[in-house]
Amino acid sequence: DDRLVVMADDAHIGEQSSYLLSRLDQEGLNFSMFGSTNGLRVQSSINTRFVIASDDDDYINITVRELGNIAARKNNMFLYTTSRVRNSLDAEAKHLYNLHTRLTAAYFIDYSDDEVKDFILKYRSLFNAEPGSFAFQGYDAIRYFTNACAKFGKNWPERLPEYSERGLQTDYKFHYRFGNPGQINTAVRRIIYNRDMSTQLQ
């Protein structure tokens, strides 16, 4: 019974937005489309789930801010988006929390995780400094590929699709690239922004 609303900016529907809209059509999902929040009515009796189809950072920023202001007065609005929204949002992350945002990202560090805490403590003791995102990225990459090498031996590059692993910041799940040599990491993390200003991995 939930309602799906696509916020679309006709002037900035690029490759990613077109792909999103085509996938929604392929899945047979019913949705209504709005260019702005003007005329948008959110019913209190059902959940309204929003997706933004635009490749323009300014449009994304304005739309999230306007939806977030509405969501501050309602508790039944949900935004589904990618990590791009974090780059386009002008330091107003509160809107992501108001919108119960479900964000898909290639990387995310859950600082409440025990392994992450352990890594930070060990990093501090070795380097007398705080680990940045590159420290987590390097650790995850080295751990994944050395484990793959240990598991499969010299043929490990061809067998990566058989081996997935969860890292501290990045997950690994390789697939062969259609029509191209090599493989691509398709693993993503889904982050939930809660109304109490906390975040969690799904």
Side-chain angles (χ1 to χ4, degrees):
D1 293 330
D2 291 1
R3 180 188 183 198
L4 176 60
V5 175
V6 175
M7 305 298 296
D9 175 21
D10 291 338
H12 297 99
I13 292 184
E15 183 179 349
Q16 291 182 12
S17 300
S18 297
Y19 176 74
L20 168 65
L21 293 171
S22 69
R23 286 301 303 268
L24 291 174
D25 283 331
Q26 288 170 17
E27 295 295 326
L29 294 171
N30 293 322
F31 58 89
S32 48
M33 230 165 161
F34 287 84
S36 72
T37 56
N38 293 334
L40 176 66
R41 297 288 178 265
V42 178
Q43 300 175 19
S44 56
S45 57
I46 61 171
N47 292 327
T48 305
R49 302 185 184 276
F50 292 90
V51 177
I52 301 175
S54 176
D55 294 333
D56 181 66
D57 288 342
D58 288 335
Y59 178 81
I60 294 170
N61 183 34
I62 291 167
T63 303
V64 170
R65 185 169 60 242
E66 291 177 355
L67 291 174
N69 286 332
I70 298 169
R73 302 183 305 274
K74 297 182 179 290
N75 196 35
N76 62 334
M77 295 172 63
F78 299 83
L79 173 65
Y80 294 80
T81 186
T82 65
S83 57
R84 180 172 187 156
V85 76
R86 293 189 299 197
N87 300 331
S88 62
L89 205 57
D90 294 337
E92 294 190 68
K94 66 179 181 182
H95 299 308
L96 298 180
Y97 295 98
N98 287 343
L99 286 162
H100 302 94
T101 300
R102 271 63 176 157
L103 186 140
T104 302
Y107 60 90
F108 177 80
I109 302 168
D110 180 5
Y111 287 97
S112 66
D113 182 84
D114 287 337
E115 281 191 66
V116 170
K117 292 176 183 176
D118 186 54
F119 175 80
I120 292 171
L121 291 175
K122 289 177 179 176
Y123 190 95
R124 286 174 182 162
S125 68
L126 280 172
F127 301 106
N128 198 28
E130 294 296 313
S133 62
F134 287 117
F136 286 97
Q137 184 180 15
Y139 177 80
D140 285 345
I142 291 295
R143 186 174 72 172
Y144 174 77
F145 288 109
T146 54
N147 286 345
C149 183
K151 186 176 179 71
F152 298 118
K154 64 181 181 180
N155 294 323
W156 67 267
E158 292 79 33
R159 301 188 64 183
L160 290 180
E162 300 173 40
Y163 177 56
S164 300
E165 187 174 282
R166 189 175 184 88
L168 299 178
Q169 174 179 265
T170 307
D171 300 330
Y172 293 90
K173 185 176 183 181
F174 281 91
H175 289 285
Y176 286 103
R177 299 171 63 190
F178 180 74
N180 292 294
Q183 300 159 50
I184 186 168
N185 183 15
T186 60
V188 294
R189 292 190 160 193
R190 304 195 188 280
I191 303 108
I192 298 175
Y193 286 74
N194 299 310
R195 289 288 286 238
D196 64 1
M197 304 296 281
S198 65
T199 54
Q200 68 186 79
L201 275 175
Q202 190 175 30

